[in-house]
Amino acid sequence: MRWLPLIAFSPLVMVGGCISVHEGNAAASREEITAHFRRQLHAEALELTAEGRDQFAGSGRNQTGPFTIRVKREHDRINFEGVYTGSVQGGFNGTWIWSREFHAFPGYRQHTSSQEDTFNTF
């Protein structure tokens, strides 16, 4: 008899255990954006500071040399543009789109992930 309450409430526990994750550029923190650009640019160092809610600027260094970078978030898209400031002439720009959805219900699982990077040098 003492198992009866546990059995009676088990459907509520199962429904309450549902997982729903929605991530993407629209909610990415400054630290997540910085980490992504460090990996993408192979940067030894990169620091971004917020210039507004959806705008960042900073400087860094990779094997090509020191650079400055400006980043602007527009909904689910992050646009960036950088210029090398050392002896190397040129720069880079592009777009980063990232989103992930994960839903898990008892007996049902869905995973959607997309990432699009465009990177141009000039």
Side-chain angles (χ1 to χ4, degrees), residues 63-66 83-91 122:
Q63 66 273 13
T64 306
V83 176
Y84 289 104
T85 58
S87 59
V88 175
Q89 300 271 329
F122 54 90

Side-chain angles (χ1 to χ4, degrees), residues 37-38 41-48 58-70 81-86 90-92:
F37 283 116
R38 277 188 182 145
L41 298 171
H42 305 286
E44 302 159 10
L46 174 63
E47 292 298 323
L48 291 178
S59 60
R61 178 177 198 73
N62 61 14
Q63 66 273 13
T64 306
F67 61 87
T68 59
I69 186 170
R70 299 187 66 75
E81 185 173 304
V83 176
Y84 289 104
T85 58
F92 53 89

Side-chain angles (χ1 to χ4, degrees), residues 5 12 22 31 37 39 55 66 84 87 91-92 100 105 122:
L12 293 174
H22 301 278
E31 291 81 16
F37 283 116
R39 287 187 305 271
Q55 295 183 7
Y84 289 104
S87 59
F92 53 89
R100 181 175 75 161
F105 298 96
F122 54 90

Side-chain angles (χ1 to χ4, degrees), residues 1-16:
M1 280 312 255
R2 62 183 197 188
W3 293 101
L4 187 59
L6 180 62
I7 294 170
F9 289 109
S10 65
L12 293 174
V13 172
M14 288 181 3
V15 171

